[in-house]
Amino acid sequence: DVKVTQSSRYLVKRTGEKVFLECVQDMDHENMFWYRQDPGLGLRLIYFSYDVKMKEKGDIPEGYSVSREKKERFSLILESASTNQTSMYLCASSTLGTSRPGGMNTEAFFGQGTRLTVV
Amino acid sequence: SQQGEEDPQALSIQEGENATMNCSYKTSINNLQWYRQNSGRGLVHLILIRSNEREKHSGRLRVTLDTSKKSSSLLITASRAADTASYFCAFMDSNYQLIWGAGTKLIIKP
């Protein structure tokens, strides 16, 4: 059974803390994505990666960074957590499937989500 | 980036009835995908329909795509309590960016 696993279901962090959200996939997918989901706003792309050590900014990269040292692992880092980063964070992966890196023209597999609360 | 629009925002029907959700977009697309999300969980892929396709089926799910109207619909037939979830459309535009709708919350009443 294919899997995308996020390291935590729930996290509570203090303002100013450095936060690491980890995501691991076992499908040998090239693409990996980090989204945040807020009520009424759908999914918003933070960063994506189409290869090891490659990363591209999404729609809302400010306040975040990412790391992809290995193909199966994509980490999202909140350098200094703020209350407006309280959200549900979703990791996804997909095969390359297109000539353009980061394209998702095959199905995406999502992790179970991490609900982060910054107090 | 531009968001897809879904309607209705919420839908409550009796078990056994059919549920229809709609998604509209404003740009040209490569494909359109539908996902389901159970409360507090990640998203699960349901169907991908390409821009040159008009209809696709998967079990009790039927997706249509009308590129002239820039719209898609997801039909769930003979709904079950387990279909209660939020449903999202996502379309890939000509720049291969994936644009998400805000979702339709579906409640199936037993």
Side-chain angles (χ1 to χ4, degrees), chain A residues 9 35 37 40-43 45 59 88 90 98-100 102-113 115, chain B residues 1 3 30-31 33 35 37 39-45 48 50 88 92 95-103:
Chain A
R9 285 291 311 278
Y35 289 93
Q37 182 181 24
L41 295 178
L43 273 70
L45 182 64
D59 299 321
M88 170 74 110
L90 294 164
T98 180
S99 59
R100 181 184 169 100
M104 197 187 281
N105 67 351
T106 60
E107 71 176 288
F109 293 85
F110 281 80
Q112 76 277 26
R115 179 149 318 266
Chain B
S1 59
Q3 192 176 47
N30 284 294
N31 69 63
Q33 305 176 36
Y35 289 81
Q37 183 180 34
S39 181
R41 296 282 180 171
L43 279 74
V44 175
H45 181 267
L48 183 152
R50 302 190 191 282
F88 293 87
M92 178 178 284
N95 292 319
Y96 293 94
Q97 299 293 311
L98 197 67
I99 314 297
W100 293 83

